[in-house]
Amino acid sequence: MRPVVLICLLAPLLLLGGCHTKPVRHLASDAALIKPGQSTRQDVLRYLGEPNGHRTVSPGVEEYVYYEDQQGTFGKMPMVGSWIGPEGYEMILVTLNGDIVSACEFRLFKEADQDWVDDFTWEKVK
């Protein structure tokens, strides 16, 4: 009788653990909201939130960087996914000239993008 009671108590906890989700940013669609030449700094902060990185390129020109890890198929599984590293990441690079967006670039990077390095026959340069 005891194992049945223990299973009945633990099963809901395990099942509810799979229902927990964290907020997900969709950077590809968020990048489409930013219009170079029209969007302002306030628009960028409203649509994308605080940047993950920020740098001053020159006087009056700044870059905001937003990035998000992209989990693979097994990386999205509850409990197991945290042990598996990301397959890549996506990034938005927003360039501000004063308070107006001058450029907005979306980039997608995958771990497999660098596989060609292992397959390439490297020759020494003389």
Side-chain angles (χ1 to χ4, degrees):
M1 184 72 173
R2 267 191 146 172
V4 172
V5 172
L6 187 62
I7 290 173
C8 289
L9 291 175
L10 291 179
L13 291 176
L14 290 174
L15 293 174
L16 287 175
C19 295
H20 173 72
T21 60
K22 68 174 191 167
V24 178
R25 293 196 304 191
H26 298 284
L27 292 182
S29 61
D30 292 347
L33 298 172
I34 307 301
K35 306 286 186 225
Q38 296 176 4
S39 298
T40 64
R41 179 186 312 271
Q42 296 305 324
D43 293 335
V44 171
L45 294 174
R46 183 178 332 126
Y47 297 141
L48 301 175
E50 288 297 318
N52 297 98
H54 168 266
R55 74 177 184 151
T56 301
V57 178
S58 63
V61 179
E62 298 176 274
E63 285 184 342
Y64 286 176
V65 176
Y66 298 87
Y67 61 87
E68 188 75 26
D69 287 336
Q70 293 298 301
Q71 298 296 331
T73 304
F74 295 112
K76 296 176 185 174
M77 294 176 60
M79 294 191 286
V80 178
S82 61
W83 297 336
I84 300 171
E87 281 189 353
Y89 62 97
E90 56 185 19
M91 177 175 77
I92 297 176
L93 181 63
V94 179
T95 305
L96 295 158
N97 195 347
D99 278 340
I100 302 295
V101 174
S102 60
C104 180
E105 300 175 26
F106 173 77
R107 300 175 183 173
L108 179 65
F109 299 94
K110 296 284 186 185
E111 290 292 324
D113 290 346
Q114 296 296 317
D115 287 349
W116 67 272
V117 173
D118 298 329
D119 297 335
F120 189 75
T121 304
W122 294 95
E123 296 179 13
K124 291 190 177 195
V125 178
K126 294 180 183 181

